[in-house]
Amino acid sequence: MAWIKIEGQRIDFHDLQDFHPSSPNSENIVEFANSWLSGHHSFEFQTSGSTGKPKKITISRTQMECSANMTMKALSLTSSDTALLCMNPTFIGGKMMIVRSLINQMNLVVIEPSSNPLKELDEPVDFAALVPLQLINAINNSDSFKKLKSISNIIVGGGQVSESVRQEVKSLDNHIYSTYGMTETVSHIALQLLSKHSDGNHFTALDGVEIGTDERECLAIKAEVTNNSLIVTNDRVEIIDSNKFRWLGRIDNVINSGGIKIQIEQVENTISEIFNSFGLVNRFILKGFKDDFLGEKVILIIEGKIDGKSLESLSQYLPTKLHKYEKPKEIHFVDKLIETPTSKIVRNTDYKIVSSIVI
């Protein structure tokens, strides 16, 4: 039987029933693993709102087994591999790392979720799941970066991967994937290779996943993980072929400025490239603010500070790369962008502005 390393102790999974965790994170992992091993047939999860308002849903054991098998096949994972769990185990992404380990009899190393869990990693692992912030911080720490490069397969979920990060990992020899998925699809149903040999910015659906669009051009998904029911998302996509699609952004992340509909994520991608060219690593978001003339005006909200010279260059360069309606009318600075428990940036909130400029 495979083992789990939790709170520094290496324990056979079946012996977890006698383990007494000392942290809420460990308690969640132990409770779920014991429930799975005792044969529970269904589990309750909170959705993030990808297909509508957040709600609680029940996912069957069969669906989770199917999802795990699809991932293991896509990444060629074997029972000789060791997995790393350093995400919040309350949500589907963390739970599925446990399920994959149990089904495939992989060893599992548990590290408490943090902004850079690889700093605490003290033994080799072959497979890991990270959120974008964890990937960024691993890249920016020399010791963590060495560990990152040694992990054969890494899946990154819970948010967009910035252009600067893509540039950092595109030459790496290991396999780093951006994932597309949600609670309703029992974790990811498509992968996009970010590291060496990447063949573009599209996602490739896993075997057995059918994709299409509705009248809004939003992605629709049907697979065993959805109980062969059609799941219609709020994600606008461009279908390339029967198993490939390009993600354009959330249909509810549109700013209507002067009658022009602006897809936030597409503009953010361009701004990310500009940030990368200036060596800026600050996180940022675009928001629409009410405007008497335009209806909504585009505002760029940047986390932290940037020096005066970079700010001046940024202000001058943005209008050359963006349409006049896409160009931010103001830049606001905040101390910290708010995150959800799954490390997604919260857009729909009133941020406390530290300073701002009009451009």
Side-chain angles (χ1 to χ4, degrees):
M1 183 64 184
W3 50 259
I4 177 172
K5 184 178 180 181
I6 186 167
E7 296 184 4
Q9 299 184 53
R10 208 177 263 196
I11 306 165
D12 284 352
F13 270 106
H14 282 296
D15 292 335
L16 276 179
Q17 58 187 342
D18 299 319
F19 179 74
H20 301 289
S22 62
S23 76
N25 184 75
S26 298
E27 186 176 352
N28 196 308
I29 293 168
V30 171
E31 181 182 356
F32 176 76
N34 285 334
S35 294
W36 184 273
L37 289 168
S38 64
H40 281 215
H41 293 293
S42 61
F43 303 86
E44 193 174 77
F45 291 90
Q46 177 80 31
T47 72
S48 62
S50 297
T51 61
K53 291 183 179 180
K55 60 184 182 293
K56 288 186 177 181
I57 63 171
T58 299
I59 295 175
S60 72
R61 184 186 189 94
T62 300
Q63 287 173 275
M64 298 176 80
E65 288 172 338
C66 179
S67 174
N69 285 324
M70 288 197 307
T71 298
M72 292 186 296
K73 180 181 178 181
L75 303 182
S76 300
L77 300 176
T78 71
S79 59
S80 62
D81 289 328
T82 297
L84 169 66
L85 172 58
C86 57
M87 300 173 68
N88 190 330
T90 304
F91 300 96
I92 192 68
K95 289 284 197 299
M96 284 309 302
M97 288 300 289
I98 302 171
V99 174
R100 293 173 195 127
S101 297
L102 288 169
I103 288 179
N104 207 27
Q105 296 195 21
M106 294 186 294
N107 298 322
L108 181 66
V109 175
V110 175
I111 293 178
E112 290 273 332
S114 69
S115 60
N116 184 8
L118 296 193
K119 286 176 65 176
E120 309 302 322
L121 184 63
D122 57 5
E123 61 183 284
V125 296
D126 308 287
F127 172 47
L130 305 175
V131 298
L133 181 61
Q134 292 174 328
L135 178 61
I136 291 168
N137 287 326
I139 290 170
N140 291 331
N141 178 284
S142 58
D143 182 56
S144 298
F145 192 42
K146 290 178 183 177
K147 297 174 185 177
L148 181 82
K149 292 188 290 184
S150 72
I151 303 172
S152 301
N153 287 289
I154 299 171
I155 54 176
V156 185
Q160 287 179 269
V161 179
S162 70
E163 181 60 28
S164 60
V165 172
R166 289 172 180 268
Q167 292 298 319
E168 291 283 355
V169 303
K170 70 178 184 179
S171 63
L172 300 186
D173 290 319
N174 57 340
H175 297 97
I176 302 177
Y177 298 91
S178 176
T179 64
Y180 177 88
M182 62 204 73
T183 308
E184 294 90 332
T185 60
V186 196
S187 187
H188 56 267
I189 52 88
L191 298 172
Q192 177 186 136
L193 183 63
L194 302 177
S195 47
K196 190 177 284 188
H197 307 307
S198 171
D199 58 355
N201 64 344
H202 62 264
F203 286 94
T204 301
L206 302 183
D207 285 352
V209 176
E210 298 177 26
I211 58 172
T213 56
D214 68 357
E215 67 280 357
R216 304 169 302 160
E217 298 185 337
C218 287
L219 184 65
I221 303 160
K222 186 177 180 181
E224 283 189 55
V225 291
T226 69
N227 278 329
N228 290 312
S229 298
L230 191 67
I231 298 289
V232 180
T233 73
N234 287 326
D235 290 312
R236 291 182 59 241
V237 299
E238 174 192 347
I239 298 292
I240 299 172
D241 60 31
S242 62
N243 73 332
K244 293 183 176 64
F245 64 91
R246 186 171 291 111
W247 184 78
L248 303 178
R250 298 271 299 176
I251 198 167
D252 45 357
N253 281 347
V254 173
I255 299 171
N256 191 330
S257 185
I260 304 298
K261 292 183 178 180
I262 300 164
Q263 185 69 57
I264 286 177
E265 291 90 347
Q266 290 180 308
V267 180
E268 286 179 342
N269 284 340
T270 302
I271 295 175
S272 181
E273 293 174 3
I274 295 171
F275 269 48
N276 188 49
S277 68
F278 287 141
L280 297 174
V281 296
N282 305 63
R283 296 194 300 172
F284 66 88
I285 58 170
L286 288 184
K287 284 192 69 172
F289 277 37
K290 288 184 179 179
D291 183 83
D292 292 338
F293 180 66
L294 296 170
E296 284 185 297
K297 61 183 176 182
V298 180
I299 301 295
L300 174 61
I301 300 178
I302 300 176
E303 182 180 67
K305 300 177 181 179
I306 60 176
D307 63 83
K309 185 177 180 180
S310 295
L311 180 57
E312 182 180 356
S313 299
L314 184 64
S315 302
Q316 294 173 352
Y317 199 59
L318 284 171
T320 69
K321 291 294 183 179
L322 298 171
H323 187 277
K324 65 178 181 179
Y325 289 102
E326 297 174 336
K327 180 186 82 70
K329 302 299 184 285
E330 300 171 17
I331 298 177
H332 294 177
F333 290 91
V334 298
D335 287 330
K336 181 74 174 175
L337 291 171
I338 299 171
E339 298 177 353
T340 68
T342 54
S343 299
K344 294 180 181 178
I345 294 174
V346 176
R347 296 178 181 273
N348 297 323
T349 189
D350 293 325
Y351 280 98
K352 183 179 179 181
I353 307 303
V354 176
S355 63
S356 61
I357 65 166
V358 177
I359 61 174

